[in-house]
Amino acid sequence: MKKKLRDFIFQELIFVAEPGQFSDDDDLLEAGLDSMGIMRLIMFIENEYGVTLPDTEIEPSNVQSLNALEQWILRHKKG
Amino acid sequence: MPLLSAFKQRCLETPEAIALIEGQQQLSYQQLMQRIYQLSSCLAAVKIPRPRVVIALDRGIDATIAVFAVLGVDACYIPLDMKNPPHRLNYIINDAAPGCIIGKGACPDWLESPELWLDIGQADFAPSGSQILATANPESIAAILYTSGSTGTPKGVALSHRALANFANWAASTFTLSPLERIASLAPFHFDLSIFDLFSCLSCGATVNFMPASLTLSPSRLTAWLQEQRISVFYTVPSLLGFIALKGALKTTPLPDLKTVLFAGEVFPTPQLITLCELLPTVQFYNLYGPTETNVCCYWPIDRERLQPEQAIPIGYPACGALLEIDEKTGELRVQSANNLSGYWQQGKLGSALSADDFYNTGDKVSLNGQGEYCYHGRLDRMLKCSGYRVEPSEIEAVLLSCPEVANCAVIGIPDSTSGQRPAAVVVLKPGAKLETIVKPIKQGLPAYMQPSKIIALDALPYLSNGKTDYQALLYLLEKN
C-alpha cells in the first residue's frame, strides 16, 4: 500500500529530489503537501482502496507522513 | 467616497463595535484607530524618504494596522507574501524601492536593506500624534500588489485610491454589507481578494475575523470554525470551497449565519458548486471575475436553477461600472473601469499598462451567451491559475535556467480537477548533471504554489516545425510519465 501511496504522492502531488530517500516518517506537509494536495490524495485513496475517510478525521496528523496515512487507511479498511 | 472616509466615520460612530478578531485577540474600532494613529505617527517621525512602505507581516491585526497607518501618511502599502523564499522577497523589495519596511520584532537576517526596518512593536509606546489620517488625492497610488510576471520576474500592480475605493464601495452596496456582518478573512494581503476584507468590510462597520491558516488543511474544522464564529460573509477561492463541499462535514455542521459566499481566482467546477449549493441551501453565491489589474470587472449571482454539471458557469455581467469589450479578432476581453490599475511598478518606477483608449487587455478569451452574460474560455497566453494564484511559466523557467545544470527547460500547466492547473516542468540537463541538483534552487527561488509538482528530464525539448516549443507534446509526456 505504501508503494502505491508513495508513487501517487511523488508523481502527482509534490516534487522531491530523491523519493527513495524520503522516509515513511518524513513530514509530507513540510515537503509541500497543501490543502489541494490533501484533497486529491483523499480522493485517490477512497477510489483506490474503497474506503470512506470520515470528514472529521481529515487533519494534519493523519496526513503528516506515509506511515500516518497508512495507519489511517487501515483503521477504516478493517472497520 | 474616498477610500478611508467611511472607515473613519465608523470609528467615530461605533467606537465600541468589534473591528478585528484574530484568535483570542480582538480590537474595537476605537482601539484599531488608536493603534493606527500610533503607527502613523511613528511613520511620520521617521520621515520616510519615499512614499512606499513594504509590509513584511502575515495577514492579521498587525498587518491591518500597518496598511491603514501607511495610507494615513499618504504612502502606498506593498504587502509581502512572507511564505516566499528570501531571494524573491529581496527582489520585490529592491524593485519596489520603499521608504520603510514594517515588520515585527528584530530585522530578519535575509533582508538586504536592514536600515529600512521598522518594528511595529515600537508603535505601542508612540503617542497617537495628530490623530489625522491624510485624505489622499484619488489618483495617488494606495497599494502595489506583486504578482507573477511574464518577463520572468515578479511585477507590481499599482492601484490608486480611486481604484480601491471604487471596488470597495461597489462591493459594499452590491452585497448589502451591514455593520452586523461577521466576515471570514483568509486571503493574504498581497492577493486582491483582501481588498474586500480590508476596505469594503471595515467601511461598513462590520467585524473581520482572520481565519487560522491551518484550517485549510482540515475542512471539517474549517466549517466548525465558520459555525462557531457565526460567519455571515466569506470571500475565497473555489478550490477551497470545493474541498469544503466534498469533505467539510456540512451535513452535520449547519451554518445558519452564513448568507453570502463570494468566490474568484479560478473556475469553479460546476459539479462541486452544485454539491455546495445543495449543502448550503440558504446561501447566496457569487462568481466574481477579474485579474488583479482590474479587480472585479464581471460578476454572476449564482442562479441555482441554471446549474448543469457539464456546463461551466458564466462570469456574468459588468461589475464596478466597468465597460467591457470583446476584441473581434481574438475574442480577448478588454476592460475600462475605475478599478483599473494605474500601471505596473517595475524597477522603481511606474510604467503604463493600459491601451491608448484606457482599456486593459486581459489576455482572457470570453464570449457573450444568449442571456447577455459573459463566459470565460481560458487564456490567450501561457499564464496558469494554480489554486487561485496566477503563475507565469516564464518566471519558473527563469529560475530553472538560473541553475548551471540546466541547459533548457519548459514549464506548462497540467489540468487538475481540484486546483485548476499545476505547474510541471521538462528540463534538459547539461551532460553529467543530475535532476536532484536543481531541487534546491527551485525551493529557494519560488514560493510553494509556483514549484513544479512534477519535473522530468529529457534529452531535448520537442519542437514544432515552425521552431516553437511543442506544448501539446510536453503535456502528453508529463501526463504519461
Side-chain angles (χ1 to χ4, degrees), chain A residues 9-18 29-40 42-43 46 52-60 63, chain B residues 214 216-221 239-240 242-243 246-250 272 387 416-419 422 435-436 438-439 442-443 452-455 479 481:
Chain A
I9 290 170
F10 296 125
Q11 283 171 18
E12 300 294 331
L13 303 181
I14 46 179
F15 179 77
V16 296
E18 289 181 81
L29 299 172
E30 252 172 45
L33 186 65
D34 61 4
S35 61
M36 288 312 104
I38 293 173
M39 174 163 156
R40 298 184 64 227
I42 287 165
M43 289 161 75
E46 293 192 338
T52 302
L53 299 169
D55 296 6
T56 51
E57 291 183 19
I58 302 170
E59 48 183 301
V63 295
Chain B
S214 62
T216 60
L217 301 179
S218 180
S220 69
R221 285 196 189 181
S239 44
L240 187 68
F243 200 7
L246 294 177
K247 287 288 172 186
L250 279 170
Q272 292 176 14
S387 301
D416 180 334
S417 61
T418 55
S419 59
R422 289 173 297 127
L435 194 56
E436 49 262 35
I438 68 169
V439 174
I442 292 173
K443 302 264 172 194
S453 60
K454 193 175 223 177
I455 303 182
E479 286 195 318
N481 268 280

Side-chain angles (χ1 to χ4, degrees), chain B residues 330-354:
Chain B
T330 60
E332 182 177 23
L333 178 68
R334 307 178 73 234
V335 183
Q336 193 185 61
S337 166
N339 282 359
N340 276 7
L341 76 167
S342 304
Y344 290 116
W345 186 269
Q346 255 173 328
Q347 293 170 343
K349 56 179 194 291
L350 196 62
S352 68
L354 303 179

